[in-house]
Amino acid sequence: MASPLRVLVWNENVHERENRTVREIYPKGIHGCIADALKSDGADPLNVGTATLDQPEHGLSKEILDQTDVLIWWGHAAHGAVDDAIVDRVVRRIWQGMGFVALHSSHYSKIFKRLMGTSCSLTWREAGEKERVWVCNPAHPIALGIDRYFEIENTEMYGEPFAIPAPDEIVFISWYQGGEVFRSGCTWKRGNGKIFYFAPGHEVYPTYTNPSVQRVLRNAVHWAAPDSERWIDNCPQVPADQAAEKITIKGPRLHKEGEEGLK
């Protein structure tokens, strides 16, 4: 039997400590709510842990990331407080094959913007309006078990234009009561890592208790799981005597034998 997928739910955990409304909705933190939802996947159990901004190394040490198959990320108020060295570490693991699920306002996280290479800006409105999430591709694994659409009674509007590179796939498009639409569920691949962005999840509404939202997150974790052995991107020098065909070194050389290349 295959080992359970190892999932880490990361949350800055700022609003829960500073805002009474958010704390009442998510007494265990957004990370705790999402972790509990993932653990309830009895048909296909997951090994789920959590981490927060205020922990040493933000709870994202090399050892922890090396033992993580899929990282879920929720951030909003403290994007700038995430250490750049940790961002580099996470991005390297994604290139190696770790899955990455970015939620709601994590479109502005350092990690997501690094992976996208764009500003990731959008339009928004906080009015508690209804969101209707439409399934674009019913056959996609992330949409498994979801009807043609599902609704979230109160939400924050995210609208186009959304300054992201063209997604590999658009799984969901959301319509809002005020009339806007938004590409609310998109996938990409960077290196060997699969990335899913999912827009619903404003902290002052109980979005992550919605059964359909929880189903999407469980599906996303299974979809984003690594496909194969870890790919280590280390730019090795291949000695001439290890070439597939016999060759003779000719002309001057910048690097000595066995020396690392410039990066």
Side-chain angles (χ1 to χ4, degrees):
M1 180 182 295
S3 300
L5 285 177
R6 301 164 299 181
V7 184
L8 185 64
V9 184
W10 190 92
N11 171 30
E12 63 185 30
N13 197 35
V14 172
H15 293 296
E16 296 92 328
R17 291 186 284 108
E18 298 181 355
N19 185 291
R20 180 178 177 180
T21 299
V22 179
R23 187 164 55 250
E24 289 176 349
I25 294 171
Y26 296 111
K28 297 172 68 175
I30 289 173
H31 54 293
C33 179
I34 292 173
D36 286 347
L38 295 176
K39 291 174 184 176
S40 69
D41 188 3
D44 206 346
L46 302 168
N47 184 345
V48 184
T50 62
T52 55
L53 179 69
D54 59 350
Q55 293 176 326
E57 299 184 77
H58 309 327
L60 299 169
S61 67
K62 183 181 184 302
E63 293 72 23
I64 288 174
L65 287 175
D66 281 345
Q67 298 300 315
T68 299
D69 295 312
V70 180
L71 175 63
I72 296 177
W73 192 275
W74 195 101
H76 187 196
H79 296 315
V82 178
D83 188 88
D84 289 340
I86 305 299
V87 174
D88 292 342
R89 184 183 297 166
V90 172
V91 169
R92 282 196 299 269
R93 276 292 291 120
I94 294 168
W95 289 345
Q96 292 171 1
M98 182 181 72
F100 184 65
V101 179
L103 300 178
H104 191 57
S105 45
S106 297
H107 68 93
Y108 265 156
S109 66
K110 290 182 179 180
I111 295 169
F112 189 73
K113 290 197 294 182
R114 173 85 64 84
L115 293 166
M116 296 296 106
T118 58
S119 70
C120 301
S121 62
L122 44 76
T123 62
W124 62 280
R125 178 175 58 245
E126 192 178 27
E129 60 202 276
K130 180 188 294 184
E131 177 180 356
R132 184 173 295 143
V133 183
W134 287 93
V135 175
C136 299
N137 181 1
H140 197 284
I142 297 177
L144 182 67
I146 304 295
D147 207 343
R148 293 175 58 231
Y149 66 86
F150 64 90
E151 293 184 344
I152 302 171
E153 191 61 33
N154 302 108
T155 193
E156 179 182 25
M157 185 279 292
Y158 274 8
E160 300 289 342
F162 187 15
I164 51 173
D168 294 343
E169 298 174 288
I170 300 175
V171 184
F172 303 109
I173 288 180
S174 287
W175 167 90
Y176 297 87
Q177 200 168 356
E180 289 86 357
V181 295
F182 186 68
R183 291 168 290 170
S184 56
C186 302
T187 72
W188 298 265
K189 194 169 186 182
R190 295 291 185 266
N192 270 11
K194 287 178 279 188
I195 301 161
F196 177 57
Y197 171 75
F198 190 51
H202 190 44
E203 57 272 21
V204 299
Y205 310 119
T207 306
Y208 294 118
T209 65
N210 181 298
S212 294
V213 171
Q214 293 182 351
R215 181 63 181 264
V216 169
L217 296 181
R218 288 193 292 269
N219 290 347
V221 163
H222 290 290
W223 171 84
D227 286 327
S228 59
E229 292 298 318
R230 185 176 305 176
W231 175 53
I232 305 299
D233 180 16
N234 58 5
C235 191
Q237 180 186 163
V238 180
D241 60 6
Q242 294 181 20
E245 301 289 342
K246 185 176 181 179
I247 60 172
T248 300
I249 297 175
K250 304 172 184 178
R253 301 179 65 184
L254 181 65
H255 297 285
K256 298 177 181 179
E257 197 72 27
E259 190 177 53
E260 288 191 7
L262 302 174
K263 299 179 184 178

